[in-house]
Amino acid sequence: FLQQAPGSRGLGVVTQYNVKVENPRDLKRVAEAIDAEFKSEVDPTQTRSEKAFVARAAGDLLELIGFTRWLGLGCVIAVLALVANTVVLSVQDRIREHAVLQTLGFRSSLIARFIVLEGLVLSLAGGVLGTAIAFAVLHWGQFSLSNEGLSINFQAGTDVLARGLGITVVLGILAGLVPAWQASRREIVESFRAV
């Protein structure tokens, strides 16, 4: 289909041949003969055993998957920063309210737990929605990653939901820890003076 796209001059170009040898001991000699025959072509051949071919294609896919894990980790760190920023701004806006709560007898540790709970609720609000969308896209999208005839299909299982929700809970708690610690250490008088 892509070779027939408008402007493409590569119609009918073969990208892979499978050659069967009668004796496996002749494999190296046959591969060298094929490569020698086509070495002066625009696209010279790279002949290798099927085992080496699959190993190289699988290695390329594993490298790509490894890169996506780093990309996913970067996204998790970015989400942590966003949720933490939201909680920090929220706590700064309510410094006087925390002072009133302390005046009424609420302990600093309880206020800190409220702030961590707020971070958890904010994280869960986005995390549940994001995890559900990711699950639906993977489940009904039927995506696959292919390289030189080797394909890996993406499937959504309950482990995707569990991991997503687990990461969401951890991010929410982490996002609320620093603002909770800061709020719990602030004196009542200092909190009333805050602008």
Side-chain angles (χ1 to χ4, degrees):
F1 174 76
L2 292 175
Q3 289 179 355
Q4 294 176 349
S8 177
R9 292 178 284 165
L11 185 60
V13 174
V14 176
T15 58
Q16 178 179 332
Y17 280 108
N18 291 335
V19 177
K20 186 175 182 178
V21 293
E22 291 180 10
N23 189 343
R25 286 178 279 171
D26 295 336
L27 184 63
K28 185 175 180 181
R29 183 182 55 78
V30 170
E32 289 172 352
I34 292 170
D35 287 343
E37 179 71 28
F38 295 101
K39 72 178 179 182
S40 62
E41 294 293 323
V42 175
D43 295 316
T45 58
Q46 296 176 351
T47 309
R48 54 189 174 267
S49 68
E50 185 176 10
K51 186 176 180 181
F53 172 79
V54 170
R56 182 175 177 209
D60 291 345
L61 286 175
L62 289 175
E63 281 185 36
L64 186 60
I65 290 169
F67 173 74
T68 59
R69 287 186 180 170
W70 285 108
L71 186 63
L73 180 62
C75 291
V76 167
I77 291 170
V79 168
L80 174 61
L82 289 171
V83 173
N85 185 49
T86 302
V87 174
V88 165
L89 292 175
S90 174
V91 168
Q92 287 178 348
D93 285 344
R94 294 193 318 263
I95 291 174
R96 288 187 182 184
E97 294 172 17
H98 294 153
V100 170
L101 289 174
Q102 285 177 323
T103 304
L104 293 174
F106 285 82
R107 292 188 317 262
S108 296
S109 62
L110 182 60
I111 293 171
R113 283 183 280 193
F114 283 153
I115 293 170
V116 170
L117 183 64
E118 179 181 355
L120 180 61
V121 169
L122 282 171
S123 182
L124 278 173
V128 168
L129 181 64
T131 302
I133 291 171
F135 181 82
V137 167
L138 286 175
H139 183 71
W140 288 296
Q142 299 180 358
F143 296 104
S144 65
L145 187 62
S146 298
N147 182 25
E148 298 188 27
L150 184 67
S151 294
I152 296 177
N153 295 325
F154 295 106
Q155 296 179 349
T158 55
D159 62 322
V160 172
L161 288 172
R163 286 182 187 178
L165 294 176
I167 290 170
T168 297
V169 168
V170 170
L171 287 179
I173 292 170
L174 288 176
L177 286 178
V178 172
W181 179 75
Q182 289 174 340
S184 69
R185 296 184 48 90
R186 190 173 284 124
E187 297 293 327
I188 296 174
V189 175
E190 178 189 344
S191 297
F192 275 120
R193 289 182 185 154
V195 177

